[in-house]
Amino acid sequence: MIFAHVPYFVAGWIFLWGLYGIVTSKNLVHQVICLTVVQTSTYILLLAIGFKTGGTAPVFADIPVGTVVVDPLVQALMLTDVVVEATVMALLLSMVVKANELAGTIDPEELKIMQG
Amino acid sequence: MTITALIPLPVAIPLIAAAFIALTGSWLGRRVSDSVAIASAGTNLVLTLLILRGTWSHTYVYWFGNWWPRSNNVVLGICFSVDAIGAALAVLVSLLTTAALIFSWRIFEDTENHFQPLMLIFMAAMCGFSFTGDLFNLFVFFELMSVSAFALCGLKTLEPAPLQGAFNFAVVNTIGAFMILMGISLLYARTGALNFAQVGHSLGSQSDALVLVAFLLICVGYLAKSAIVPFHFWLADAHAVAPTPVCVLFSGIMIELGIYAVARIYWTIFQGPLAAHASEMRNILLVMATITAVLGGFMCYAEHHLKRLLAFSTISHAGLMLAGVGILTSKALAGFVIYVFSHGLIKGGLFLCAGIVLHRLHKIGEHHLHGRGRGMWFTAALFIIGALGLATCGPFGTLLGESMISDGAKQVHQGWFAYIFMFVETLTAAAVLRATFRIFFGWGKPAPTDKSSRIDEGPETKPEGVTPVLMFVPAAALILLGICITGVPQLRSAGRANAELFMDQPRYASSVLNNVQLAAPEEKKPESLTPSIIRCLATGLLALLLALATVFRNRLGTALKFTRSLELGNSLVRKVHSGHPGDYVAWLAFGTALLGGMFFWFLR
Amino acid sequence: MSSRMRTALFLISALGLAAIFGLGFRNLPPVGDYRGPYGNVVSQVAVYERHATDVVNAINYDYRACDTLGEEFILFASVLGVLLIFRPSPAKDEAKGKKKGEKRPPQVEDELPISDTIRVGMMAMAGLMIVFGVYIAVHGQLTPGGGFQGGVILASVPLVVYLSGNVKAFDKIVSTPLIKLAEFCGAAGYAIIGTSALFFGAHFLTNIVPLGTTGDPFSSGTIAVISVAVGLEVTGGFVLLMEVYLREVIDERLENES
């Protein structure tokens, strides 16, 4: 019963771990990677929702229309997201690289210029 | 050409223009890129005005790819369902972007040609956001809006501060986006659909833990964009370092769109399930709104960096706007829309004036600028008019908005909210007036220094003795429009009628799913403005008195010591706004857990 | 806030969030029991309506093409943002000019020569990857693949060339204006394809190109065309990112080589 929901709980677990990583991090690059971990949890949730037991890939090149397939929509949502979020993380990393160049550090504690 | 054909254009044309400028900008030169960008923004303004005029009497539903809904209310495609409120927001977007692009004609000599495309993409995303009728499409435009905002925020790369500000902004908003995606997944699992109308129709009125968690996640994600406490920490950082034209867009419309998204999603999807607990929902939202407004107001008064001051005033006004939505009546919702529009114009104008100050005087901290603005009469006048607009003291659109929201509050027996309005507006207007008196008139002693005003901005422009016309005109135009909006005939009654339509879920569903044309909404008679006018005059007077008392406190004696503590702010609260992204994420998690706890306690 | 307080605040919130997730996710349908109408309906109709055998790409480039337009522009905006943040600034050039006279201390990678196996193997891989990438990008409507995936494979080709030690070739590949042209044309191309539908009286992003026979490489109308545009854009975008990130390293290595 409850085992059927394990993938959802795994997604929630990874989400919280990613957030923990960001909160306790001492390195901006590490924070960006933890953000990718949080992102992964959303994909796990999406894909688990779309899964159909006994279903195969929703590509009808060699199977007749009408065979049981898993939900194609969540895959469509996810696949564009993966590629696009990679570039968004590149944007964040570029900010970190530039900040390091200008301030000499990537420790958020030392970079706390924005206080108050 | 019918209005329907125009609907995808405010999104498509700026995107094509952006790609064009990015490709050819280095060959065609700066002036051509600027002109193409301004032309594209201007075209958007014309298009959205035409669409607004059309939606005054008619709601449009536009199906991309001709994918009309199928039988059994199954929708496979994406639709833009444009009503007057969405169109009005799109008009505001285009207006502010045009003003910002005209203002930036003179600045950023070294950004090659990447600034204008990002501004155009930002504008296209916000227009799409206001029009769309699909959950995932809303999320995609939200992400597009956010990414262009991150890039624009970190534009000044000569100091590390802009990059850290942009980074903090990016981390908090990206986590918010992931939460929204999780919420959307939950709704999809329950209903198998992504279209607002279809999801609302399928959910019916079943309310269980899943629906609550979905609403929580979606709310938190969009409210983090709207800088509601405790998700607001990123906003002051971002505004302190973003270039002026970008701040105009952030404060003028980007923040407000988050609250609009919550309103849209609530009334098309969650109204059914949460109907039984509407008054508890109202109370929760009002509490959040009040805390945001009051905290924002106090922090605003304690700031001496002009842009951070205006940023905190945006946070407090965002609280007021959330109340407009949270009161859950049509009058308050109409007040929200009018308030958003006029606040956007006035705040945009004030930011452009701050940009003029930065251009002429090369500093942005109140302490360093003391008395140096003498002679800049026009800018000083604009600042004072803007401050009065924030205090709703005068013929400003904000007066209409405030009166409708306060009336709405009184209708649901929460009349005390009108006093929160007064309090917050007094603080924020007084802060701007105080800054004006010190900078432009040189009255009183220099402001106390604090850590934040030492983030002095590098000049955005080359030094010049005179403010160019292209900087004055947008600033003055925006503030003037904030006044002129009161002249729109029957604004309040039309607003009220459209708000009723916005809140009517069955009619929305039938117009989207079955293409049933909605009858033109009937207009209701607006209520008297007199109580509001009295309140607003009082607010203006109080703001003036507070500003004068702060400026002249040394002469007026120790009885007014409270002005000094007001100005220095609470050191604990200031320490919490630390600039560390881990802190912000911890508060985000805390806020989500707290809000979730309240939802489960009161709304089950 | 001190780091202890921050962690404590987060841990308390995490407990609350875990409880909230637990209560909420418990009511989800069990994994494997997908009920919703969208997936079922679209799997039935996509092949007939669009002559495309890959339903995922039919959704991406046709049924929900507006979403993919937005996502593509997110990529575009991120790349523009990186270019903006890494733009050359006069202060930096001044610092660089001073450094030109000094010689960089020898690094480990300069000393280890790259073995011939890797060099030849990588160049062979590069050729294979180009063909494979183009194949994936062009066959989006028939098999799992499409513009996004094909574009990423193609974008790895310059990286493979770099890893084989041939910095000159890498520099030549990534600095051509063709890369920028590919990226911007891919981005604009998608929006222009969508707008062209307007001229035929249909709504934005309608599939107006003849659909062809299912299973043919040139079937399913605009799905194939959009897939290629997206492939161009993704390739261009990622190669630009690589170039911008590695610019300093490339310049130094070229200098040391000469």
Side-chain angles (χ1 to χ4, degrees):
Chain A
M1 268 185 337
I2 203 72
F3 292 126
H5 290 82
V6 163
Y8 304 136
F9 297 136
V10 167
W13 175 251
I14 296 181
F15 185 82
L16 291 174
W17 262 114
L19 285 187
Y20 177 76
I22 298 178
V23 168
T24 53
S25 170
K26 293 197 173 40
N27 182 321
L28 288 178
V29 176
H30 177 253
Q31 282 186 338
V32 175
I33 305 297
C34 290
L35 212 53
T36 349
V37 170
V38 176
Q39 180 194 347
T40 319
S41 74
T42 60
Y43 299 152
I44 297 177
L45 184 63
L46 262 178
L47 290 177
I49 285 173
F51 184 67
K52 220 187 239 191
T53 332
T56 176
V59 177
F60 294 103
D62 47 359
I63 48 175
V65 177
T67 355
V68 175
V69 292
V70 300
D71 177 29
L73 176 68
V74 290
Q75 298 187 18
L77 297 185
M78 215 204 95
L79 82 86
T80 53
D81 236 11
V82 168
V83 175
V84 160
E85 293 288 343
T87 44
V88 176
M89 295 304 150
L91 179 61
L92 295 188
L93 285 172
S94 71
M95 293 178 198
V96 175
V97 168
K98 198 74 186 185
N100 183 41
E101 204 180 283
L102 294 170
T105 172
I106 49 174
D107 186 342
E109 287 282 345
E110 289 173 30
L111 268 180
K112 274 198 310 195
I113 323 164
M114 300 266 120
Q115 180 136 6
Chain B
M1 221 184 198
T2 60
I3 303 286
T4 318
L6 295 179
I7 289 176
L9 296 180
V11 177
I13 295 182
L15 291 179
I16 300 178
F20 175 74
I21 295 176
L23 179 61
T24 58
S26 35
W27 299 318
L28 296 178
R30 172 76 200 273
R31 293 302 162 223
V32 175
S33 310
D34 271 337
S35 319
V36 172
I38 295 177
S40 171
T43 318
N44 249 41
L45 184 56
V46 169
L47 287 172
T48 45
L49 279 171
L50 286 173
I51 296 176
L52 178 61
R53 216 188 65 168
T55 53
W56 213 250
S57 57
H58 187 97
T59 317
Y60 295 98
V61 180
Y62 186 89
W63 291 100
F64 280 89
N66 273 357
W67 290 115
W68 303 93
R70 296 162 195 252
S71 56
N72 297 338
N73 290 332
V74 169
V75 164
L76 291 186
I78 297 177
C79 78
F80 269 9
S81 89
V82 188
D83 61 358
I85 294 179
L89 289 172
V91 168
L92 183 62
V93 168
S94 316
L95 192 57
L96 288 176
T97 314
T98 318
L101 283 172
I102 295 178
F103 184 88
S104 62
W105 182 273
R106 300 300 303 251
I107 55 184
F108 309 136
E109 301 296 333
D110 72 331
T111 56
E112 302 183 7
N113 48 315
H114 297 134
F115 170 73
Q116 299 92 334
L118 281 170
M119 290 285 272
L120 289 178
I121 294 177
F122 197 21
M123 176 176 71
M126 290 195 281
C127 286
F129 194 87
S130 329
F131 286 167
T132 187
D134 181 281
L135 270 173
F136 193 74
N137 203 224
L138 192 70
F139 170 75
V140 168
F141 282 127
F142 175 81
E143 275 281 294
L144 185 56
M145 195 163 92
S146 305
V147 167
S148 4
F150 305 156
L152 286 169
C153 183
L155 188 127
K156 299 190 201 173
T157 51
L158 294 175
E159 300 271 306
L163 295 160
Q164 167 135 61
F167 186 81
N168 291 348
F169 176 18
V171 167
V172 176
N173 272 254
T174 312
I175 296 179
F178 294 149
M179 287 190 174
I180 297 174
L181 189 55
M182 287 182 94
I184 295 177
S185 320
L186 295 177
L187 282 178
Y188 178 71
R190 177 52 64 85
T191 58
L194 291 175
N195 185 285
F196 287 156
Q198 192 185 350
V199 172
H201 181 87
S202 306
L203 265 187
S205 30
Q206 41 167 306
S207 161
D208 59 352
L210 178 71
V211 171
L212 276 182
V213 173
F215 186 53
L216 170 73
L217 289 172
I218 293 182
C219 247
V220 167
Y222 286 118
L223 291 182
K225 170 66 85 183
S226 292
I228 302 295
V229 171
F231 316 122
H232 68 291
F233 295 95
W234 61 270
L235 193 147
D237 293 356
H239 275 69
V241 299
T244 311
V246 177
C247 287
V248 167
L249 288 178
F250 282 2
S251 268
I253 184 66
M254 188 181 80
I255 307 297
E256 289 79 355
L257 283 178
I259 306 177
Y260 161 78
V262 170
R264 176 69 81 184
I265 291 182
Y266 178 79
W267 268 299
T268 48
I269 297 179
F270 290 102
Q271 190 186 30
L274 297 177
H277 301 279
S279 51
E280 283 95 336
M281 182 91 248
R282 174 180 301 141
N283 291 338
I284 296 177
L285 288 175
L286 273 180
V287 164
M288 281 180 80
T290 313
I291 297 177
T292 309
V294 171
L295 184 69
F298 278 123
M299 287 296 299
C300 171
Y301 207 76
E303 282 288 340
H304 298 94
H305 183 292
L306 266 184
K307 282 198 196 165
R308 269 180 86 97
L309 190 157
L310 290 173
F312 275 111
S313 99
T314 304
I315 294 178
S316 62
H317 288 115
L320 298 176
M321 292 184 235
L322 180 62
V325 165
I327 291 175
L328 300 181
T329 62
S330 62
K331 197 187 279 195
L333 185 64
F336 161 73
V337 179
I338 299 176
Y339 196 83
V340 164
F341 209 90
S342 22
H343 167 267
L345 292 169
I346 294 175
K347 196 49 80 59
L350 280 175
F351 265 108
L352 289 183
C353 293
I356 294 177
V357 167
L358 186 59
H359 170 76
R360 289 286 299 277
L361 305 176
H362 294 298
K363 292 264 182 214
I364 201 89
E366 218 174 300
H367 175 83
H368 306 272
L369 284 172
H370 192 88
R372 291 179 53 195
R374 282 197 194 98
M376 294 172 63
W377 297 117
F378 202 54
T379 318
L382 285 176
F383 259 108
I384 294 180
I385 300 176
L388 291 176
L390 288 183
T392 68
C393 179
F396 294 97
T398 38
L399 173 65
L400 300 179
E402 187 265 338
S403 85
M404 291 184 85
I405 299 180
S406 300
D407 281 343
K410 212 163 81 171
Q411 254 180 353
V412 295
H413 311 295
Q414 311 280 9
W416 52 270
F417 200 78
Y419 297 107
I420 302 280
F421 247 106
M422 279 181 71
F423 181 69
V424 163
E425 284 167 352
T426 310
L427 275 177
T428 52
V432 178
L433 282 174
R434 173 199 83 198
T436 317
F437 293 154
R438 283 198 175 128
I439 297 176
F440 294 103
F441 301 151
W443 290 349
K445 283 215 164 128
T449 48
D450 50 36
K451 219 170 163 205
S452 71
S453 55
R454 282 182 235 141
I455 321 166
D456 246 341
E457 295 200 29
E460 295 174 337
T461 49
K462 300 213 178 69
E464 213 171 7
V466 181
T467 318
V469 168
L470 280 174
M471 283 187 165
F472 261 135
V473 168
L478 286 181
I479 294 191
L480 242 137
L481 281 171
I483 301 176
C484 292
I485 197 177
T486 47
V488 174
Q490 298 186 316
L491 181 65
R492 282 182 295 153
S493 39
R496 180 102 187 264
N498 277 299
E500 296 240 1
L501 214 59
F502 191 93
M503 291 167 58
D504 195 338
Q505 193 248 343
R507 285 171 88 185
Y508 179 87
S510 64
S511 87
V512 168
L513 296 174
N514 305 326
N515 209 16
V516 168
Q517 204 32 261
L518 298 174
E522 45 169 274
E523 309 203 339
K524 299 213 169 88
K525 219 170 86 69
E527 301 193 358
S528 153
L529 274 178
T530 324
S532 240
I533 296 183
I534 297 175
R535 272 201 302 270
C536 297
L537 285 174
T539 313
L541 200 61
L542 279 171
L544 189 63
L545 286 175
L546 180 58
L548 287 172
T550 316
V551 168
F552 289 120
R553 102 173 123 244
N554 299 80
R555 285 201 227 160
L556 292 173
T558 53
L560 293 165
K561 247 203 176 122
F562 80 94
T563 54
R564 180 172 165 82
S565 53
L566 204 59
E567 220 182 334
L568 288 177
N570 187 328
S571 66
L572 183 63
V573 173
R574 295 189 82 142
K575 240 177 120 189
V576 166
H577 291 75
S578 65
H580 188 294
D583 274 355
Y584 297 0
V585 173
W587 283 109
L588 177 68
F590 179 70
T592 317
L594 198 59
L595 194 60
M598 286 205 283
F599 277 12
F600 272 96
W601 188 265
F602 292 113
L603 301 179
R604 276 280 279 267
Chain C
M1 278 190 355
S2 76
S3 100
R4 273 226 185 115
M5 272 181 64
R6 189 184 310 141
T7 317
L9 179 67
F10 177 75
L11 286 174
I12 303 174
S13 330
L15 280 174
L17 283 178
I20 292 173
F21 284 160
L23 286 172
F25 292 176
R26 223 176 38 162
N27 291 4
L28 282 170
V31 174
D33 182 16
Y34 175 74
R35 302 167 193 163
Y38 199 107
N40 298 335
V41 172
V42 85
S43 307
Q44 298 290 328
V45 301
V47 181
Y48 301 122
E49 287 183 354
R50 281 297 173 251
H51 298 195
T53 50
D54 181 6
V55 184
V56 176
N57 275 335
I59 295 178
N60 255 337
Y61 300 126
D62 198 318
Y63 290 91
R64 300 188 65 93
C66 187
D67 277 348
T68 317
L69 175 67
E71 300 266 16
E72 196 199 33
F73 271 92
I74 296 176
L75 202 155
F76 185 72
S78 311
V79 172
L80 275 183
V82 174
L83 291 177
L84 192 62
I85 290 180
F86 277 140
R87 69 183 182 276
S89 59
K92 192 176 161 206
D93 285 343
E94 221 181 85
K96 233 183 173 180
K98 282 189 207 150
K99 269 202 196 154
K100 252 199 170 132
E102 316 162 11
K103 243 203 141 193
R104 195 166 64 96
Q107 308 269 322
V108 175
E109 56 255 28
D110 294 339
E111 294 174 2
L112 283 180
I114 300 193
S115 78
D116 286 335
T117 322
I118 294 193
R119 225 181 298 174
V120 172
M122 288 292 184
M123 293 309 280
M125 285 278 294
L128 195 62
M129 281 169 73
I130 294 179
V131 173
F132 191 58
V134 172
Y135 163 74
I136 295 267
V138 162
H139 276 72
Q141 68 278 15
L142 300 176
T143 53
F148 284 99
Q149 297 91 321
V152 173
I153 297 176
L154 281 173
S156 316
V157 171
L159 201 56
V160 158
V161 170
Y162 177 77
L163 287 174
S164 76
N166 199 340
V167 182
K168 275 209 195 89
F170 179 69
D171 192 30
K172 253 207 235 160
I173 297 176
V174 299
S175 314
T176 59
L178 270 182
I179 301 288
K180 272 208 170 146
L181 192 70
E183 209 225 340
F184 301 136
C185 287
Y190 195 143
I192 291 177
I193 294 171
T195 322
S196 59
L198 292 177
F199 293 118
F200 289 88
H203 282 181
F204 194 74
L205 284 171
T206 313
N207 201 332
I208 40 169
V209 175
L211 291 172
T213 1
T214 317
D216 234 19
F218 294 113
S219 60
S220 68
T222 46
I223 296 181
V225 185
I226 292 179
S227 184
V228 169
V230 169
L232 280 175
E233 205 234 341
V234 170
T235 317
F238 276 100
V239 174
L240 274 176
L241 283 182
M242 260 184 250
E243 196 247 329
V244 143
Y245 267 95
L246 289 175
R247 179 46 43 196
E248 260 194 51
V249 176
I250 303 172
D251 286 342
E252 272 185 40
R253 288 185 72 167
L254 282 179
E255 232 180 78
N256 285 353
E257 270 180 27
S258 60

